[in-house]
Amino acid sequence: MTRPLSSTERSIQGRNSWLQDEERKAIESRGELGRMEFWLRVTRTRITQDVRAGRADVIRGFTSVCRLFKLAIDKRAEGDARLWNHLMQYAGQVLEQHGPRR
């Protein structure tokens, strides 16, 4: 028998369900572009919340991730897909291990 979820666990579960539903709606309406736009909006909101909470280093972190992503895209366009492949593999592993359950 499993124990009932705590209020914090229910809140997390509800948030994850909301994210999944909104992502699905974004995909249905605009495809992969809609998915990307949805996650950019969610991330922008979270960055704003973190800055207000005194964690302004989130801006430097996001900037670094964006620069890494652009570098990977540029390298792939130049014919060297190694960085892109490594980045996508790492992202998949992290999301599988730590992302919301589907």
Side-chain angles (χ1 to χ4, degrees), residues 68 83-98:
L68 172 60
L83 182 57
W84 175 261
N85 293 337
H86 287 261
L87 184 61
M88 295 306 291
Q89 180 182 7
Y90 181 67
Q93 290 170 352
V94 170
L95 290 172
E96 177 145 337
Q97 189 173 13
H98 299 285

Side-chain angles (χ1 to χ4, degrees), residues 31-95:
E32 288 299 314
L33 187 60
R35 181 195 309 243
M36 178 195 67
E37 290 168 347
F38 166 72
W39 284 110
L40 283 173
R41 282 192 308 274
V42 169
T43 302
R44 183 178 174 190
T45 299
R46 184 55 197 261
I47 289 170
T48 301
Q49 291 170 347
D50 275 25
V51 168
R52 287 183 184 148
R55 296 182 295 266
D57 63 335
V58 71
I59 295 172
R60 188 174 62 238
F62 184 72
T63 301
S64 294
V65 169
C66 289
R67 289 179 62 205
L68 172 60
F69 189 78
K70 184 187 175 304
L71 178 63
I73 292 171
D74 290 345
K75 290 287 188 181
R76 185 173 70 162
E78 294 169 2
D80 182 3
R82 289 177 297 167
L83 182 57
W84 175 261
N85 293 337
H86 287 261
L87 184 61
M88 295 306 291
Q89 180 182 7
Y90 181 67
Q93 290 170 352
V94 170
L95 290 172

Side-chain angles (χ1 to χ4, degrees), residues 1-5:
M1 186 167 133
T2 60
R3 66 173 175 74
L5 296 177

